[in-house]
Amino acid sequence: MKVPFSWLKAYVPELESPEVLEERLAGLGFETDRMERVFRIPKGVVFARVLEAHPIPGTRLKRLVLDTGQAVEVVSGAENARKGIGVALALPGTELEGLKVGERVIQGVRSFGMALSPRELGVGEYGGGLLEFPEDALPPGAPLAEAWPEEVVLDLEVTPNRPDALGLLGLARDLHALGYALVEPEVNLKAEAIPLPFALEVEDPEGAPHFTLGYAFGLKVAPSPLWMQRALFAAGMRPISNVVDVTNYVMLERAQPMHAFDLRFIGEGILVRRAREGERLKTLDGVERALHPEDLVIAGRRGEESFPLGLAGVMGGAESEVREDTEAIALEVASFDPVAIRKTARRHGLRTEASHRFERGVDPLGQVPAQRRALSLLQALAGARVAEALLEAGSPEPPKPIPFRPDYANRLLGTSYPEAEQIAILKRLGCRVEGEGPPYRVTPPSHRLDLRLEEDLVEEVARIQGYETIPLSLPAFFPAPDNRGVEGPYLRERRLREVLAGLGFQEVYTYSFMDPEDARRFRLDPPRLLLLNPLAPEKAALRTHLFPGLVRVLKENLDLDRPGRALLFEVGRVFREREETHLAGLLFGEGVGLPWAKERLSGYFLLKGYLEALFARLGLAFRVEAHPYPFLHPGVSGRVWVEGEERGFLGELHPEIARALELPLVWLFELRLPLPEAPFRFRDPSRYPPAFRDLAVVVPEATPFGEVEALLREAAGPYLESLELFDLYQGPPLKEGEKSLAFHLRFRHPERTLTDEEVEEALERVVAALRTRGFDLRG
């Protein structure tokens, strides 16, 4: 939110400087993103009055006769160049952003300088027309910089719980609580007791809990005075006309959006309702929009029929906008359901100053004061006559009292603030304090939507008193027994991440959302949880597995580049019958081959080896058994067991899925967390030398490696330190349907050197066990 210093100072005259203001606001919880100085208007820019405007035949240009104290001619291509307005004129010799203005002949007319748009003058972004002023705004020829001095603008970060601070008056009230004097804007309204020429009906009171309509007539649409244009430009808004500018000015002042309807186009009155099926509306940005049945709209009435005039709380319609010839308006000031406005704005891709405020909530009792303020400005700036009566629908409830105990506030904060000072702070914030002693009954002001609990009031006391006044001391308490050990799951996940990173994996983070169509693409069950209002169609459900996200990450990187290898993992939440935490990994690319394995199996065995290393580091038993999964290759698919519990799967992505995504071979695993915990075990490394033996076992082709491994380990006895497969062979002289598994066996005694006889005895037991099982030895 942009805060012009001079505008805020009008409400808080004692403000010392922009730098002090930045410090005060930071203490109140409003961080300043940046502070900038704007409106450095060159000396050669003067105020000029347009006396005549004549089209130049055969062109889109106009010859303007301007009064700068003397009559001069200027050529302009602006559509809004016309008689009777004031403009900013850069005289010859003036330098504007690297451009030096001169006197030159255009279409046979000698142009004495240049009439400027807001962008050319450097006061705004709009460059589609001249900057307009009332023709009597300044004496002709007066330097514009004298009436439009430099301004300091603070760009504030306003938290969502403080919608009142989206208005300058809300910030001024907070500064008042610090002890600054507050000057509220005067409302000098001279209203007339006349009947209203329109009716009001609210068909959807939940969508519009409080709706008011005011009536102003006999007004003259013209450019706003310099002070208002300067304030709006500084706040980041473009002045349009005095009527529209008043609505924007009061919105920025009070955080209460409002809208003016040209009375000629609303029919017999206003109806607030939901949109009908098939209705369309052309909004003020010139876009014709198809309305959704859940959109809240402001509609006009003709008999029993109604027609949309605007998207409630978001943007008005082009048909009923204020024009140059508008003479009477119906002024809408309302409060709307924040959720309804947020959904409508998102559906139509519209984010406006009005929707930004309505989405966070407005003062439920602030509509009538905002009406009176806006109508008084229309009376002063547009010569409007104003009806005394307002049409009003809905009766919002005032805030309810909150019990407040100053001693509880001190106990909660660890402070010793005097009771009188705490009560004085609440009163300066606009709270009504009743009662002779604690507990007091504190009624917050209606614009403070965030004050609902006693703890909210305690926080306000600390905020205004200054967080720096809270003593810096460690809490004198211990965690509750049921909180001890709560960090365990986090620490175990961190250990997993560290081990995987150490093995060479790279961690990625993907969205918790998924495309419901991905369930079909990856042969998964349909997602159970669909979002009612998704950010995008491809994020319309909560994911049930992590591996599709990893595959998508690989696909996107392959499309951008051609990495030679990828080793990825993710720890994240999935949503099935219940919410679970999973670990998933992916292996792809060159250099993953093993000398004894075919290409299709090499990645599988390598990824399995990574898992073996992971579980060895964690001290957990791990095995894989063949098991089909619809999303994995039928012959390269296994179920993972950890400490005897089924935990997930390991295998190659199904070739048909890979082909559809135009991917090469990809290997995956996904495990359910948390993993079992193994007690820490330390074994002192043996100082004695190992004994090595090699063994090649011939087994049927269908025999799993795990079965042979378990047999060897059991038969070898306690001195077998490690067992490693180093070769897999099929072919002559082996029979068809047989394979040879070659192992390195390492034996070691922890306390002495093994003898050859002991090693040979262990090897004989291994051979005997193999032959008993029906296996043979090779070579």
Side-chain angles (χ1 to χ4, degrees):
M1 174 185 169
K2 294 183 181 296
V3 179
F5 178 75
S6 64
W7 190 351
L8 185 59
K9 190 175 173 66
Y11 308 134
V12 190
E14 297 172 354
L15 279 176
E16 297 90 341
S17 67
E19 290 73 22
V20 172
L21 173 61
E22 180 183 15
E23 183 181 342
R24 297 284 185 268
L25 291 175
L28 290 169
F30 304 109
E31 291 295 331
T32 300
D33 286 342
R34 64 179 180 181
M35 184 191 299
E36 59 180 337
R37 295 184 179 274
V38 297
F39 304 156
R40 294 176 178 172
I41 297 177
K43 294 181 180 178
V45 177
V46 300
F47 175 80
R49 190 168 54 194
V50 182
L51 302 176
E52 301 175 25
H54 304 286
I56 298 177
T59 71
R60 303 174 75 174
L61 304 176
K62 297 176 184 177
R63 179 177 63 87
L64 307 181
V65 178
L66 306 180
D67 178 10
T68 64
Q70 60 180 1
V72 297
E73 289 189 342
V74 170
V75 175
S76 174
E79 291 186 6
N80 65 331
R82 64 191 187 277
K83 177 182 176 181
I85 64 171
V87 297
L89 176 67
L91 298 175
T94 305
E95 291 190 4
L96 300 168
E97 300 272 333
L99 170 68
K100 188 169 184 179
V101 178
E103 183 177 356
R104 58 196 182 112
V105 177
I106 303 174
Q107 294 293 323
V109 177
R110 181 169 293 278
S111 183
F112 188 78
M114 179 179 177
L116 303 176
S117 69
R119 182 188 298 169
E120 290 161 341
L121 186 58
V123 298
E125 296 297 323
Y126 179 68
L130 297 180
L131 178 59
E132 292 187 34
F133 302 119
E135 62 177 339
D136 57 352
L138 292 172
L144 194 59
E146 293 181 5
W148 199 304
E150 186 178 81
E151 177 67 274
V152 178
V153 178
L154 287 76
D155 199 345
L156 292 190
E157 186 71 33
V158 178
T159 53
N161 68 314
R162 288 296 309 274
D164 62 299
L166 291 172
L168 273 75
L169 201 51
L171 296 174
R173 288 165 176 154
D174 263 19
L175 292 167
H176 173 60
L178 293 179
Y180 288 95
L182 175 65
V183 178
E184 298 230 17
E186 293 184 5
V187 177
N188 298 315
L189 182 62
K190 297 177 182 178
E192 303 177 32
I194 57 172
L196 300 179
F198 46 77
L200 169 66
E201 180 184 353
V202 176
E203 192 177 275
D204 185 356
E206 290 185 2
H210 192 210
F211 196 99
T212 66
L213 274 180
Y215 176 43
F217 61 100
L219 51 81
K220 181 182 179 182
V221 177
S224 296
L226 257 65
W227 65 266
M228 180 170 282
Q229 292 201 39
R230 181 176 178 275
L232 292 176
F233 271 127
M237 300 197 74
R238 178 169 69 92
I240 306 294
S241 67
N242 51 3
V243 176
V244 176
D245 293 352
V246 162
T247 64
N248 288 331
Y249 185 86
V250 177
M251 175 187 71
L252 295 172
E253 179 183 84
R254 296 172 177 265
Q256 172 63 65
M258 54 186 62
H259 187 74
F261 296 94
D262 190 317
L263 201 64
R264 295 172 295 178
F265 304 103
I266 69 171
E268 299 164 11
I270 294 293
L271 172 66
V272 184
R273 60 169 173 80
R274 299 286 173 168
R276 315 286 193 226
E277 193 71 42
E279 281 187 323
R280 303 183 70 84
L281 172 68
K282 186 177 181 181
T283 45
L284 286 171
D285 57 359
V287 178
E288 185 170 330
R289 304 177 185 277
L291 301 182
H292 189 278
E294 292 186 11
D295 291 339
L296 189 67
V297 298
I298 311 300
R301 303 195 71 159
R302 290 194 188 98
E304 296 298 318
E305 295 184 355
S306 64
F307 48 93
L309 296 172
L311 279 171
V314 180
M315 185 176 284
E319 182 180 345
S320 58
E321 69 175 321
V322 173
R323 298 163 166 79
E324 290 183 12
D325 60 347
T326 298
E327 295 182 353
I329 63 165
L331 182 63
E332 164 214 312
V333 184
S335 67
F336 297 113
D337 173 34
V339 175
I341 302 305
R342 182 166 61 250
K343 289 182 177 180
T344 297
R346 182 175 294 175
R347 263 193 300 270
H348 293 280
L350 282 171
R351 181 173 174 80
T352 63
E353 293 285 349
S355 68
H356 180 62
R357 286 161 175 79
F358 280 126
E359 286 174 19
R360 285 156 176 75
V362 298
D363 181 352
L365 303 181
Q367 288 68 53
V368 173
Q371 277 274 12
R372 292 180 58 80
R373 171 67 166 153
L375 291 171
S376 69
L377 286 172
L378 288 173
Q379 202 167 61
L381 304 183
R385 297 170 62 191
V386 175
E388 185 178 79
L390 293 176
L391 291 182
E392 189 172 2
S395 52
E397 294 185 4
K400 296 180 180 178
I402 304 170
F404 177 71
R405 297 161 292 168
D407 59 332
Y408 173 69
N410 280 326
R411 190 165 67 252
L412 200 62
L413 297 171
T415 55
S416 55
Y417 299 143
E419 180 175 313
E421 179 60 26
Q422 294 187 46
I423 298 302
I425 286 174
L426 295 177
K427 288 181 177 179
R428 291 199 301 271
L429 283 167
C431 298
R432 187 173 71 252
V433 181
E434 299 172 304
E436 297 300 322
Y440 293 95
R441 297 174 70 247
V442 178
T443 305
S446 59
H447 59 266
R448 289 300 302 272
L449 305 182
D450 57 318
L451 302 184
R452 292 292 177 265
L453 306 172
E454 184 177 13
E455 288 75 13
D456 296 330
L457 300 177
V458 172
E459 183 181 3
E460 288 301 285
V461 169
R463 189 172 67 94
I464 302 302
Q465 193 72 30
Y467 293 125
E468 69 279 3
T469 64
I470 298 176
L472 298 176
S473 58
L474 291 174
F477 61 85
F478 295 96
D482 56 348
N483 283 340
R484 291 175 184 156
V486 293
E487 74 281 3
Y490 164 75
L491 295 177
R492 288 195 293 273
E493 286 183 16
R494 187 174 71 177
R495 172 65 175 154
L496 267 179
R497 289 183 166 96
E498 290 173 349
V499 174
L500 286 167
L503 290 171
F505 282 80
Q506 183 175 3
E507 185 173 10
V508 299
Y509 291 90
T510 61
Y511 284 108
S512 298
F513 310 122
M514 67 175 288
D515 186 346
E517 281 297 304
D518 272 354
R520 177 186 57 80
R521 294 187 189 104
F522 287 93
R523 304 185 177 188
L524 302 172
D525 293 333
R528 290 174 171 268
L529 298 176
L530 301 178
L531 303 183
L532 293 177
N533 196 20
L535 296 172
E538 63 272 14
K539 297 174 184 172
L542 292 177
R543 64 188 177 189
T544 59
H545 289 77
L546 295 181
F547 79 87
L550 295 181
V551 173
R552 291 288 185 193
V553 169
L554 175 64
K555 170 67 175 168
E556 290 170 7
N557 280 271
L558 288 174
D559 289 344
L560 292 172
D561 196 3
R562 191 71 189 174
R565 189 165 185 257
L567 194 56
L568 309 175
F569 81 95
E570 179 177 12
V571 177
R573 300 296 178 91
V574 299
F575 305 86
R576 297 176 170 180
E577 293 83 0
R578 62 181 185 276
E579 185 177 343
E580 299 176 354
T581 303
H582 280 202
L583 163 68
L586 177 148
L587 172 66
F588 149 80
E590 302 171 1
V592 300
L594 298 174
W596 44 265
K598 298 177 183 177
E599 181 185 10
R600 169 148 274 127
L601 292 173
S602 65
Y604 168 81
F605 284 122
L606 186 58
L607 193 56
K608 180 172 177 282
Y610 279 121
L611 287 179
E612 287 175 345
L614 169 67
F615 290 113
R617 300 272 185 90
L618 299 176
L620 299 173
F622 156 80
R623 66 184 175 89
V624 181
E625 66 175 25
H627 184 81
Y629 289 89
F631 44 82
L632 296 180
H633 188 292
V636 192
S637 172
R639 175 184 287 156
V640 175
W641 295 80
V642 181
E643 292 290 330
E645 296 180 16
E646 187 272 320
R647 283 288 169 172
F649 61 83
L650 166 68
E652 178 194 329
L653 183 66
H654 198 288
E656 292 182 5
I657 300 176
R659 193 158 42 248
L661 295 173
E662 300 179 350
L663 289 173
L665 295 177
V666 176
W667 297 273
L668 309 160
F669 73 83
E670 185 160 338
L671 307 176
R672 188 177 69 257
L673 300 181
L675 296 171
E677 287 190 76
F680 177 76
R681 293 186 293 266
F682 174 78
R683 185 173 64 183
D684 197 10
S686 175
R687 300 182 230 173
Y688 300 96
F692 295 97
R693 296 292 186 272
D694 289 346
L695 194 66
V697 185
V698 179
V699 298
E701 185 177 0
T703 304
F705 162 78
E707 180 181 334
V708 181
E709 180 192 29
L711 182 63
L712 292 176
R713 289 188 182 279
E714 183 179 357
Y719 303 142
L720 179 66
E721 188 175 64
S722 68
L723 179 70
E724 179 184 345
L725 177 70
F726 70 89
D727 186 49
L728 169 65
Y729 176 75
Q730 288 178 280
L734 299 181
K735 299 176 185 177
E736 188 173 346
E738 290 185 334
K739 64 182 178 183
S740 169
L741 302 174
F743 296 92
H744 288 309
L745 288 78
R746 181 167 65 183
F747 296 89
R748 193 188 326 240
H749 195 288
E751 298 177 352
R752 60 180 175 82
T753 302
L754 286 172
T755 64
D756 287 342
E757 290 77 12
E758 288 173 316
V759 176
E760 291 302 325
E761 182 182 342
L763 201 59
E764 287 173 6
R765 290 198 303 270
V766 169
V767 172
L770 290 170
R771 295 193 188 282
T772 302
R773 180 65 179 79
F775 300 153
D776 201 358
L777 300 181
R778 180 182 167 211

